Amino acid sequence: MFGFKKHKTPKAETRPEADESAAQNGQAATSDDASLVTRLAKTRRGFRDSLADLFLGKKKPDQETLEDLETALISADVGIDTTTEIIDHLQSSLSRKALDNPEALRLALIELLVEKLQAAEQPLQIPASDKPFVLLVVGINGAGKTTSIGKLAHNLQKQGRSVLLAAGDTFRAAAVEQLQEWGRRNDAPVIAQGTGADPASVIFDAVQSASAKNIDVVIADTAGRLHTQSNLMDELHKIKRVLGKLDENAPHETLLIMDGGFGQNALQQAQQFHDAIGLTGLAITKLDGTAKGGVLFAVADKLQLPIRFIGVGEGIEDLREFHAREFVEALLGKG
């Protein structure tokens, strides 16, 4: 399991958010907590502004409170079905008079949201028997695919693993150059061919090279594509078939990079990628720049796939292992 070191933001930058969280919940926030709170500020602000009157007032929760909460959750892109399940559960608690004050409602909501995400909390495992471990990265253009590969390579190296990068996005010269730059930054070898080369051939060569050099992990980039582009989706099938000739279990991970700012559209794209090629994990990026971070709840509920990582900033340390409670408490305070 990864034990990614969380990026330490200077105290002067994080203290206002940390103080706000601590003041609201009567607890001191650690620097790591404050860092994630800061990076999820836009989604958190959406929750906080919508729910402030519900949680900070003295009004006893009632049916109107739940209707306001329902609106707030849908606005944060939690999704209608997921929101309905949460509200139904809270309605039952309200009927049993188990929610007799705003703080009880806040704590109940936190536990329900954590429960929704818990099954998706499955960090990436890399067995020693799978060497090289082949990680195929897919997604649409602009989701942060190549940047996420660079950050992931960095984190793997911090865990003591050797990494080789495969430039399987042969449609754009800029994509190859970007991956090569990440290779230089991480001091990791990059296998690349010319623009227009067969991606399956590039990745096949990369895995062979990694095997010969006893390298632990191959991370393979692929061309950005929409699920509607059948020729490009067929290409992914070909890559998988070719890898299977080297190792029947390869690729060992097919990781979709999703842009969290796409909200419910990202969920639809992920579902169709999964139906087409069979995903094994998700990385949801750009959560620091969107108010739609609530989409994680809909993704976890609908796709039932592991959320391996979340991207919460531009820094090389800002691709983090996903932890359900940490995420929820960054939005709503400590449970």
Side-chain angles (χ1 to χ4, degrees), residues 46-330:
F47 271 85
R48 182 190 62 199
D49 291 350
S50 299
L51 305 179
D53 290 341
L54 308 183
F55 294 154
L56 299 180
K58 298 181 182 292
K59 179 183 176 183
K60 184 176 179 179
D62 55 17
Q63 188 60 43
E64 183 181 357
T65 306
L66 295 188
E67 290 173 2
D68 291 342
L69 177 58
E70 181 178 37
T71 299
L73 293 175
I74 292 173
S75 297
D77 250 27
V78 170
I80 293 176
D81 292 344
T82 306
T83 295
T84 299
E85 291 176 12
I86 290 170
I87 296 301
D88 286 349
H89 196 288
L90 291 174
Q91 178 67 64
S92 176
S93 297
L94 187 67
S95 299
R96 299 195 311 270
K97 300 183 178 180
L99 303 177
D100 57 358
N101 61 73
E103 179 63 3
L105 174 61
R106 187 183 73 85
L107 293 175
L109 177 61
I110 287 172
E111 294 308 314
L112 286 171
L113 291 175
V114 170
E115 182 181 328
K116 284 290 180 187
L117 293 177
Q118 201 72 62
E121 184 182 312
Q122 298 179 45
L124 181 65
Q125 303 289 331
I126 301 181
S129 58
D130 293 330
K131 190 169 184 178
F133 182 92
V134 182
L135 198 160
L136 185 67
V137 179
V138 302
I140 68 169
N141 282 325
K145 214 163 21 69
T146 308
T147 299
S148 295
I149 288 172
K151 293 176 180 179
L152 179 55
H154 169 76
N155 283 311
L156 284 166
Q157 289 174 326
K158 286 176 60 181
Q159 299 302 312
R161 301 182 189 277
S162 53
V163 179
L164 182 146
L165 306 180
D169 183 353
T170 62
F171 285 86
R172 298 184 304 119
V176 176
E177 293 168 3
Q178 186 182 7
L179 196 70
Q180 289 172 327
E181 176 57 29
W182 274 110
R184 284 189 287 271
R185 289 178 64 180
N186 288 319
D187 194 24
V190 179
I191 300 298
Q193 296 179 17
T195 304
D198 179 11
S201 175
V202 175
I203 297 171
F204 183 90
D205 288 350
V207 175
Q208 283 194 316
S209 177
S211 181
K213 296 174 181 176
N214 201 34
I215 288 175
D216 297 320
V217 181
V218 173
I219 308 177
D221 194 8
T222 59
R225 68 204 70 213
L226 294 171
H227 54 272
T228 54
Q229 295 171 305
S230 59
N231 60 320
L232 292 178
M233 296 302 284
D234 289 343
E235 181 186 277
L236 290 179
H237 286 288
K238 179 182 177 181
I239 290 171
K240 286 190 148 189
R241 287 197 308 272
V242 168
L243 287 174
K245 295 178 181 179
L246 290 173
D247 180 342
E248 64 180 9
N249 295 317
H252 305 95
E253 175 84 358
T254 302
L255 184 73
L256 176 69
I257 307 297
M258 298 173 57
D259 184 338
F262 287 1
Q264 294 296 309
N265 287 333
L267 172 61
Q268 294 172 13
Q269 291 167 1
Q271 182 66 66
Q272 287 164 327
F273 265 97
H274 186 42
D275 291 345
I277 62 170
L279 304 171
T280 56
L282 306 170
I284 303 178
T285 64
K286 304 185 182 183
L287 290 172
D288 56 311
T290 180
K292 296 180 178 292
V295 73
L296 264 76
F297 300 98
V299 165
D301 192 41
K302 292 296 184 183
L303 298 183
Q304 298 188 2
L305 284 168
I307 299 174
R308 307 293 194 192
F309 309 101
I310 55 174
V312 293
E314 296 297 325
I316 199 167
E317 305 283 355
D318 287 332
L319 184 70
R320 301 184 175 202
E321 256 189 17
F322 172 68
H323 297 288
R325 184 168 294 278
E326 178 187 35
F327 181 81
V328 173
E329 291 185 346

